[in-house]
Amino acid sequence: MSTAKLGCPKLRIMPLSIPSFPLPDARGRYGRFGGRYVPETLIPALDELEQAYEAAKQDPEFLDELDRLLREFVGRPNSLYLAERLTEHAGGAKIYLKREDQNFTGAHKINNCLAQALLAKRMGKQKIIAETGAGQHGVASATAAALLGLSCVVYMGEEDMRRQSLNVFRMQLLGAEVRPVTSGTATLKDATNEAIREWVTNVRDTFYILGSVVGPHPYPAMVRDFQSVIGEEVKVQLQEKEGRSVPDAIVACVGGGSNAIGIFAPFAYLPEGERPRLIGTEAAGHGVDTGMHAASVAWGRVGVLHGSMMYLMNDDEGQIVPPHSISAGLDYPGIGPEHCYYSVMGMAEYVPVTDAQALEGLQLLTRLEGIIPALESAHAISYAVQLARQMKPEEIVVVNLSGRGDKDVTEVMRLLEQSENKQAEGQEVKA
Amino acid sequence: MTATPETATNRGVQRLHAAFARAEAEGRAAFIPFMTGGYPDAARFGEVAGDLLARADIMEVGIPYSDPLGDGPTIQRASEQALAGGTSTRRTLELVRELRQKDDTPIVIMTYINPIYAVGPAEFMRLAQEAGVDGLILPDLPPDQDLEIADLAAQHGLAVTFLIAPTSTPERVKLVAEACTGFLYAVSVTGVTGAREGAALGEVPRMLDLARQYAQRPVVVGFGVKDAATAQQVAQVADGVVVGSAFINAVAAGRDVGALADELAAGCRR
């Protein structure tokens, strides 16, 4: 293909029809997971959203507009990049990086935000609300709102506002109002509660842009569909580079799970034997035995949060256990219902990766490839290196590099200084 | 096959309906105060809830929950405080059992669905029945999301109540009304719980007209009733008036809860 040689593949990034997947069922379920556990006030709004979305995804005008924005505003397609030095370091399978970090605003979140904001506009809703953890979804929502001339309020936990102060300012610069959330643990789950409460209150004229594959139906399906551009691009790009469209393994980090579902879903429903290994890395924090983590599948209990049944970190009385992760974007006590289904059906595996491993992964990729990944994505990098090491050189691992690490640099500096100080103390004691 | 005695499966329903009938006969809407279980602490909850129960036609006790997405700041904070004080799901049911020993007024439990699932629906119903609970209000469970919960409740003599909102379409009102066995709960505003400025009837009469087309059950109205005047307005059209955040605010401010309850109960007279 001559275009490929120019380094600019003529890739139509959003196929004219959004891919359709076998799930959810008519009731918004993935097996027993998913559903709509929300106050009755929201049910008509969810019905309205579902109908509007079903109509939009078949409307060439909507798809063309989205296609144009993803191409010209976001800069898609981003590259599928062979990480040669990382591959050499691992000494096994080839490692490709799907460079969602190259997207405008620095992460995969913009794929979904632009699409939902377009849908909001189509539905005649002028007010956008959103929740955010690390701030990436908040920034992407504020960006989409500015671009399309909509007002935007972002709910963010006070603790996260401290950890991600730069993103708070970016949202404000973009004209969004950032409302601090102080209830509960003052992190992503509480910001989501507050956004839902705000939606319940102003449901008639407000559009809620949910940032992950969680929440009541149709959100998990809609967000997946809008993020599946990631996996669809991988198929085409891998075909160009390697002469086959399906890799042997795909690794992605999972909090709620939007970047992971975006790269998994286009492969997940392949027949067994053709399906690549799909591996989601959960945030194991200080370790899954410590209780200080955000690894919902490893936690092993099922419950209901934010309108959906899923694997959930809750105690035996149903109270949500505050999660912990080094990365604000993975600091969520649940995992999207479709991931739960994949896990139960053996279509994907979910493995824990600790704070320390993620921090190592971040440094490794930075030194070997000159790419500073987001702390979230560093969880996937860390595991992919271990995995590739056990695989054959002719095999291929694709890692979803879901976001860039600029937002984390201050936090990483603090953490590295802390661990250096600890090491120094340790040496003094030994001496 | 031996049929389950009717009284076992209908116990809660019958007791609730009797309470509405009594209020109706006395020219009142039923007065339904709410208190978060274990708020402000387990000991004082007993006193406060006792004061409310003595003046109530039906009492509503909330299970404190870590993530109450249908509640405004007042009940959120009450839940956080109760949880911090060690009252969670099972303990709330024990507190109800203690209340029950003093007073026979019907008690319904308001709970998000996750605590029921975590304890296990059958086990939860068994514990509730043992504690003397008469019914459940399920604010984040649209009835079509779980088709077994109402039957399971009935097997334990518990009534179930689901909610309708000003946004509910006639189809939804019908579905929800038909699923309720105790009473139907109409949310007066699009929003979360909490006392508000200027809360007035608004869309309530329209909702109630719609609800009564389908509901063979009493219809209560809640969210935003804060004083005798607002209670009075609601009592003209509803079978029952729920007051929650106003009592929690009173407890937080150290005011006399009994006196406020007297005032609101009087407001329920037609």
Side-chain angles (χ1 to χ4, degrees):
Chain A
M1 283 176 71
S2 60
T3 47
K5 283 183 192 139
L6 297 171
C8 175
K10 267 217 169 129
L11 201 57
R12 183 167 185 88
I13 43 154
M14 178 63 65
L16 260 183
S17 62
I18 286 178
S20 62
F21 298 99
L23 290 174
D25 65 18
R27 296 177 59 235
R29 299 274 176 165
Y30 308 79
R32 66 187 286 212
F33 303 104
R36 275 186 180 172
Y37 300 88
V38 290
E40 189 66 34
T41 312
L42 291 181
I43 297 291
L46 292 167
D47 282 338
E48 181 195 4
L49 176 62
E50 189 176 4
Q51 282 160 16
Y53 172 56
E54 291 301 324
K57 76 178 181 188
Q58 290 168 30
D59 179 352
E61 205 176 305
F62 176 80
L63 294 172
D64 282 349
E65 178 68 355
L66 181 57
D67 184 84
R68 184 183 69 82
L69 287 177
L70 289 177
R71 195 181 291 279
E72 296 173 8
F73 189 75
V74 177
R76 300 201 76 95
N78 54 45
S79 52
L80 180 69
Y81 178 78
L82 176 63
E84 288 186 41
R85 299 214 325 128
L86 192 68
T87 298
E88 199 179 313
H89 171 84
K94 268 190 195 173
I95 303 174
Y96 276 96
L97 307 176
K98 181 56 180 160
R99 297 288 306 274
E100 291 298 307
D101 63 316
Q102 291 172 344
N103 294 346
F104 181 55
T105 70
H108 70 291
K109 293 291 187 187
I110 191 79
N111 303 332
N112 167 54
C113 287
L114 276 178
Q116 285 200 44
L118 272 181
L119 187 57
K121 206 164 177 181
R122 204 181 136 94
M123 292 171 72
K125 313 256 178 184
Q126 291 297 313
K127 286 161 65 182
I128 293 294
I129 56 169
E131 83 295 337
T132 198
Q136 292 306 99
H137 175 61
V139 167
S141 297
T143 301
L147 176 71
L148 299 174
L150 306 168
S151 77
C152 182
V153 174
V154 179
Y155 291 87
M156 189 170 186
E158 237 178 14
E159 172 63 17
D160 288 337
M161 287 178 74
R162 184 194 62 75
R163 290 195 277 192
Q164 305 286 350
S165 55
L166 201 59
N167 270 344
V168 173
F169 185 63
R170 287 169 79 191
M171 289 183 264
Q172 289 164 341
L173 259 184
L174 287 159
E177 181 193 341
V178 182
R179 288 198 192 147
V181 175
T182 55
S183 58
T185 53
T187 59
L188 177 56
K189 82 168 172 74
D190 308 286
T192 309
N193 286 337
E194 208 51 45
I196 294 175
R197 288 182 190 118
E198 172 68 20
W199 199 36
V200 168
T201 306
N202 292 304
V203 61
R204 283 170 171 141
D205 63 352
T206 301
F207 189 102
Y208 176 24
I209 299 190
L210 223 168
S212 195
V213 283
V214 300
H217 178 68
Y219 280 104
M222 184 169 71
V223 176
R224 169 202 60 198
D225 292 353
F226 291 148
Q227 291 294 0
S228 66
V229 64
I230 303 172
E232 294 295 338
E233 276 183 20
V234 168
K235 285 184 189 169
V236 178
Q237 291 171 320
L238 201 63
Q239 183 69 42
E240 278 179 4
K241 287 176 189 291
E242 297 281 348
R244 58 169 163 140
S245 60
V246 182
D248 298 286
I250 299 176
V251 184
C253 65
V254 186
S258 67
N259 89 79
I261 214 83
I263 198 165
F264 287 178
F267 299 95
Y269 296 95
L270 289 173
E272 208 166 345
E274 289 173 41
R275 185 170 57 223
R277 278 183 74 186
L278 304 174
I279 301 159
T281 58
E282 292 197 293
H286 297 321
V288 287
D289 301 330
T290 63
M292 292 278 287
H293 64 84
S296 326
V297 175
W299 187 267
R301 283 175 182 272
V302 172
V304 169
L305 182 67
H306 300 144
S308 199
M309 182 169 284
M310 55 181 154
Y311 281 112
L312 180 65
M313 296 177 64
N314 63 153
D315 67 18
D316 57 11
E317 307 243 329
Q319 309 297 341
I320 310 303
V321 175
H324 163 83
S325 170
I326 193 174
S327 63
L330 302 184
D331 206 349
Y332 186 74
I335 171 171
E338 190 164 354
H339 286 296
C340 300
Y341 180 80
Y342 289 176
S343 175
V344 166
M345 301 302 287
M347 294 158 74
E349 307 151 59
Y350 297 86
V351 300
V353 173
T354 64
D355 286 353
Q357 289 171 317
L359 205 50
E360 277 173 32
L362 179 139
Q363 294 173 84
L364 192 65
L365 189 70
T366 305
R367 300 247 169 103
L368 291 179
E369 300 287 348
I371 300 167
I372 306 177
L375 274 170
E376 288 80 4
S377 323
H379 287 74
I381 296 292
S382 166
Y383 189 80
V385 170
Q386 298 172 43
L387 180 71
R389 190 165 287 152
Q390 298 154 16
M391 294 168 67
K392 299 185 207 98
E394 63 272 22
E395 293 184 305
I396 295 167
V397 177
V398 175
V399 186
N400 199 6
L401 191 61
S402 57
R404 67 181 191 209
D406 305 44
K407 69 179 174 60
D408 294 318
V409 167
T410 320
E411 185 70 1
V412 169
M413 186 168 73
R414 192 180 69 80
L415 290 164
L416 289 178
E417 277 171 4
Q418 214 174 48
S419 73
E420 272 168 26
N421 289 343
K422 263 192 203 155
Q423 276 173 4
E425 275 169 33
Q427 276 160 4
E428 274 166 34
V429 173
K430 273 183 203 159
Chain B
M1 192 182 120
T2 335
T4 314
E6 194 155 298
T7 47
T9 54
N10 286 347
R11 183 182 169 277
V13 174
Q14 285 171 350
R15 281 169 47 80
L16 290 169
H17 289 180
F20 282 105
R22 210 175 306 125
E24 177 76 31
E26 293 170 12
R28 297 181 294 113
F31 169 52
I32 311 176
F34 167 93
M35 186 53 55
T36 299
Y39 177 79
D41 55 52
R44 280 192 287 165
F45 169 79
E47 293 166 26
V48 170
D51 284 347
L52 292 174
L53 200 58
R55 294 161 172 87
D57 292 295
I58 296 164
M59 167 100 189
E60 200 185 309
V61 175
I63 291 183
Y65 184 48
S66 56
D67 293 75
L69 56 71
D71 283 303
T74 302
I75 294 180
Q76 283 173 43
R77 281 191 209 107
S79 293
E80 283 175 19
Q81 189 173 331
L83 285 168
T87 300
S88 187
T89 308
R90 290 167 195 269
R91 181 78 182 115
T92 300
L93 295 175
E94 282 166 26
L95 292 173
V96 168
R97 183 209 295 272
E98 288 165 23
L99 273 182
R100 181 48 83 226
Q101 283 158 7
K102 293 185 243 172
D103 195 314
D104 195 40
T105 305
I107 297 178
V108 292
I109 288 283
M110 205 286 314
T111 182
Y112 290 89
I113 195 64
N114 198 50
I116 294 184
Y117 287 159
V119 170
E123 172 71 355
F124 183 93
M125 300 300 171
R126 190 184 65 76
L127 291 171
Q129 182 181 27
E130 278 180 15
V133 171
D134 293 286
L136 304 173
I137 301 176
L138 304 169
D140 67 340
L141 186 75
D144 43 347
Q145 290 299 308
D146 188 330
L147 303 174
E148 288 160 21
I149 212 95
D151 285 344
L152 201 53
Q155 284 165 26
H156 292 84
L158 302 169
V160 288
T161 286
F162 300 100
L163 287 69
I164 57 168
T167 52
S168 298
T169 57
E171 293 74 27
R172 289 302 302 181
V173 170
K174 181 170 190 290
L175 185 144
V176 174
E178 288 173 354
C180 292
T181 58
F183 51 90
L184 178 61
Y185 191 131
V187 174
S188 65
V189 291
T190 55
V192 293
T193 59
R196 318 176 145 64
E197 283 312 309
L201 276 183
E203 304 184 64
V204 168
R206 180 186 63 79
M207 284 169 70
L208 292 185
D209 283 348
L210 195 55
R212 290 207 167 96
Q213 285 177 31
Y214 306 109
Q216 311 302 314
R217 311 279 178 217
V219 186
V220 309
V221 170
F223 287 33
V225 179
K226 61 177 189 294
D227 52 26
T230 42
Q232 181 83 70
Q233 285 182 310
V234 173
Q236 301 310 313
V237 290
D239 300 306
V241 181
V242 181
V243 187
S245 297
F247 288 119
I248 288 169
N249 286 333
V251 172
R255 290 202 302 272
D256 183 345
V257 172
L260 180 62
D262 283 336
E263 193 185 308
L264 279 152
C268 290
R269 282 199 199 97
R270 295 198 174 111

